[in-house]
Amino acid sequence: MKRWKALVALALAAAFLGVLGFGLTRDAQVLPSAIIGQKAPQFDLETLDGDSIDLSSLQGQVVLLNFWASWCIPCREEHPVLEMADKRYDGKGVRLIGVVYQDTRSNARRFLEQHGGGWPSVLDPSSRVAISYGVYGVPETYFVDPTGRVVQKHVGPLTWDLLSSTVDSLLASGKGAAPDTTAASGTAGVGADAAAGPEATGSGARTQR
Amino acid sequence: MKLARTLPLLALTACLAAPAPVLAQDAGAAPADAGQAAGTSSAAARSTGLSGEKLDNATAEVAAQLRCPVCRGQSVLESTATLSKEMQAEIRRRLAEGQSPEQVRAYFVSRYGEWILLKPPAHGLTILVYLFPAAVLVVGFGLAVLYVKRRAAGSDEDAETAAPAPGAGTGAGTGPGEAPMSAELSRDEEAWLERALQERRDEGA
């Protein structure tokens, strides 16, 4: 009887410590995202150049939504990765769209003049679109599959490995579901080439699926 | 033991009773959780939006319940972060469009998750936050009662089984302080007590 009770007490204490220990292994900076698996919130916004982009018109393609700002240092860090993505996936069923977050048109333009980048960026007045995606800060990148669903969110600067593997798998699955996606052809080797790309910098970036 | 049988019942009722006000308070938010589409189907519940001072108050009320995503420890109302200001504007816009506060809250939950609520919702896994302290309190109280009862019962048993005969001792080692707690004295004890009292009386005389 005595031993039985001691065992129960020990088990309870161990369970409690286990919960606390599990808490220690979790990164408090990583916040849960509610948007993953949901339909990507729609928007129709003006680009820096004065055109407009309607997200719904991009259905059938993989869309990378990259929230950024000229005042954001990690955004500079990830910029080459985006440039590489723009170069590699151009015309292959992937659209890269920047969303300017809490910034002015002139500052955002100056940033792109300095750092390059030919993909469009849209302005998000009052951060309405950022809020609709659940953005905490920049940079954040959302991967939208061809059916218009958010499949992944990345907080912090992107790495080439992460971007390419995610996009490739999205293109591959899109190919399986819809055989007429011509865009998916010719991208199979990209993932392998990517090994030479920039290494993970370990700068606090987190990916959620 | 009777107590052992009633304890779990006591614990259960206390667990259910303790968070009841919390549950009642949150009941209003429950339907909002279910409807993630609240953000899009706005004017369904209330066609006329708020305005003026009522809108200010309602905006502040909702903003006080939401966590600022940037500063995290502060509410959207208290925070001076740009995102918090923008979220306040979003709250105000939605309330003005005719959405209920529950719908506005549900919109932010659908985008940021339940993390955005400063007060954890009293359902699902987070209900443990409310139940656990009450449960620990009840269990602790129960154990304490059990311990005290058992100690009292245990000394009863000692008295019956050990049945020491204080009077049989040589006097010095077996004072009345060592006598077990029992109202009834054994014959030896009675004899000892009488003898001791007699001795005192003789001394006094």
Side-chain angles (χ1 to χ4, degrees), chain B residues 2-175:
Chain B
K2 226 187 295 167
L3 189 68
R5 225 172 299 152
T6 50
L7 254 183
L9 198 70
L10 185 75
L12 191 71
T13 46
C15 278
L16 292 176
V22 179
L23 285 171
Q25 206 177 340
D26 273 37
D33 282 2
Q36 282 193 336
T40 46
S41 63
S42 56
R46 290 180 207 177
S47 51
T48 49
L50 300 170
S51 60
E53 203 177 316
K54 270 188 178 171
L55 179 59
D56 291 345
N57 293 340
T59 303
E61 199 181 314
V62 174
Q65 295 166 353
L66 298 180
R67 189 190 300 274
C68 160
V70 181
C71 15
R72 301 184 181 191
Q74 274 181 316
S75 75
V76 166
L77 182 66
E78 296 165 324
S79 163
T80 54
T82 312
L83 185 57
S84 283
K85 296 289 168 213
E86 289 166 343
M87 281 171 70
Q88 277 198 48
E90 184 72 32
I91 295 166
R92 171 180 284 273
R93 192 179 301 119
R94 284 172 181 273
L95 289 171
E97 277 172 12
Q99 289 187 22
S100 68
E102 288 78 28
Q103 284 175 316
V104 177
R105 260 203 309 267
Y107 169 72
F108 283 96
V109 169
S110 76
R111 302 313 154 102
Y112 285 92
E114 284 182 341
W115 178 90
I116 201 79
L117 299 173
L118 275 171
K119 200 169 79 177
H123 64 78
L125 194 65
T126 42
I127 200 166
L128 283 176
V129 173
Y130 296 94
L131 292 185
F132 196 64
V136 166
L137 194 72
V138 168
V139 168
F141 180 72
L143 285 177
V145 168
L146 209 66
Y147 175 73
V148 169
K149 286 262 173 183
R150 184 166 297 173
R151 224 168 67 146
S155 50
D156 274 352
E157 279 162 32
D158 286 348
E160 280 162 28
T161 51
T170 47
T174 52

Side-chain angles (χ1 to χ4, degrees), chain A residues 34-92:
Chain A
I35 200 81
I36 292 161
Q38 284 195 55
K39 204 165 168 9
Q42 295 300 304
F43 60 80
D44 187 353
L45 292 175
E46 191 191 346
T47 67
L48 291 176
D49 301 328
D51 303 331
S52 77
I53 290 183
D54 185 355
L55 183 67
S56 60
S57 72
L58 302 178
Q59 221 167 38
Q61 302 181 69
V62 172
V63 178
L64 266 65
L65 276 184
N66 175 248
F67 288 84
W68 68 280
S70 68
W71 46 261
C72 148
I73 304 299
C75 298
R76 278 167 216 216
E77 220 175 280
E78 75 170 359
H79 201 73
V81 175
L82 294 172
E83 277 190 282
M84 180 62 79
D86 185 46
K87 213 187 294 176
R88 281 294 179 93
Y89 293 110
D90 185 35
K92 289 173 178 157

